[in-house]
């Protein structure tokens, strides 16, 4: 088994924040594409946010609060629309795969169990 992890140094916290902002904007403001529900993009987004929390430990609680999907109605509407538009394909997925897909759609945001159940029933 090989380790395929990589490390990317940023010379400025602002570079990391800019990357986070750009990925969020592209994912949720751009057209749907193959990356929208990608587990690879979701993992990258979580890693970026975790790097921000490590870089600014005094802001970690604020970032953790920001991560709550319920505080992002525009993102939730985008995810709901995607789930409605692709309902046949999404409902054909096994339950665990469907849940992972919805979590990937939300990334780097996180839904509480009630929100995830609501989205899974869309």
């Amino acid at each position: 088994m090989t380790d395929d992890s990589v490390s990317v140094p940023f010379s400025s916290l602002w570079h990391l924040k800019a990357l986070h902002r750009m990925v969020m904007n592209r994912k949720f403001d751009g057209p749907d594409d193959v990356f929208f529900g990608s587990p690879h993009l979701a993992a990258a987004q979580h890693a970026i946010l975790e790097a921000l929390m490590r870089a600014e430990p005094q802001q970690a609680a604020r970032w953790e609060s920001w991560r709550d999907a319920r505080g992002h109605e525009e993102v939730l509407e985008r995810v709901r629309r995607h789930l409605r538009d692709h309902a046949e394909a999404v409902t054909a997925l096994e339950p665990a795969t469907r849940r992972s897909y919805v979590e990937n759609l939300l990334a780097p945001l996180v839904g509480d169990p009630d929100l995830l159940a609501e989205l899974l029933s869309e």
Side-chain angles (χ1 to χ4, degrees):
M1 184 169 172
T2 63
D3 180 6
D4 61 353
S5 65
V6 295
S7 177
V8 179
F10 286 87
S11 60
S12 165
L13 177 60
W14 290 107
H15 296 170
L16 187 58
K17 287 181 177 184
L19 177 62
H20 167 69
R21 166 75 56 115
M22 187 278 309
V23 173
M24 285 294 294
N25 287 348
R26 172 55 187 91
K27 180 175 181 178
F28 294 110
D29 294 341
D32 280 6
D33 60 21
V34 296
F35 295 107
F36 190 49
S38 165
H40 303 295
L41 179 58
Q45 287 183 279
H46 286 301
I48 291 167
L49 192 56
E50 289 161 14
L52 284 169
M53 291 191 299
R54 281 191 309 276
E56 288 186 303
Q58 71 280 13
Q59 296 294 324
R62 184 180 69 80
W63 280 115
E64 199 59 47
S65 176
W66 174 88
R67 194 175 226 172
D68 180 359
R70 288 202 184 268
H72 300 270
E73 192 54 45
E74 291 150 5
V75 169
L76 288 176
E77 182 50 40
R78 174 70 189 273
V79 169
R80 286 184 179 106
R81 185 173 58 246
H82 177 84
L83 292 171
R84 283 190 308 268
D85 291 350
H86 299 89
E88 188 175 330
V90 173
T91 57
L93 298 172
E94 293 294 324
T97 303
R98 186 168 49 245
R99 181 184 176 93
S100 292
Y101 183 68
V102 170
E103 290 172 339
N104 292 339
L105 290 171
L106 289 171
L109 306 177
V110 177
D112 61 55
D114 291 337
L115 177 61
L116 289 174
E118 177 187 321
L119 292 171
L120 288 165
S121 69
E122 294 278 326

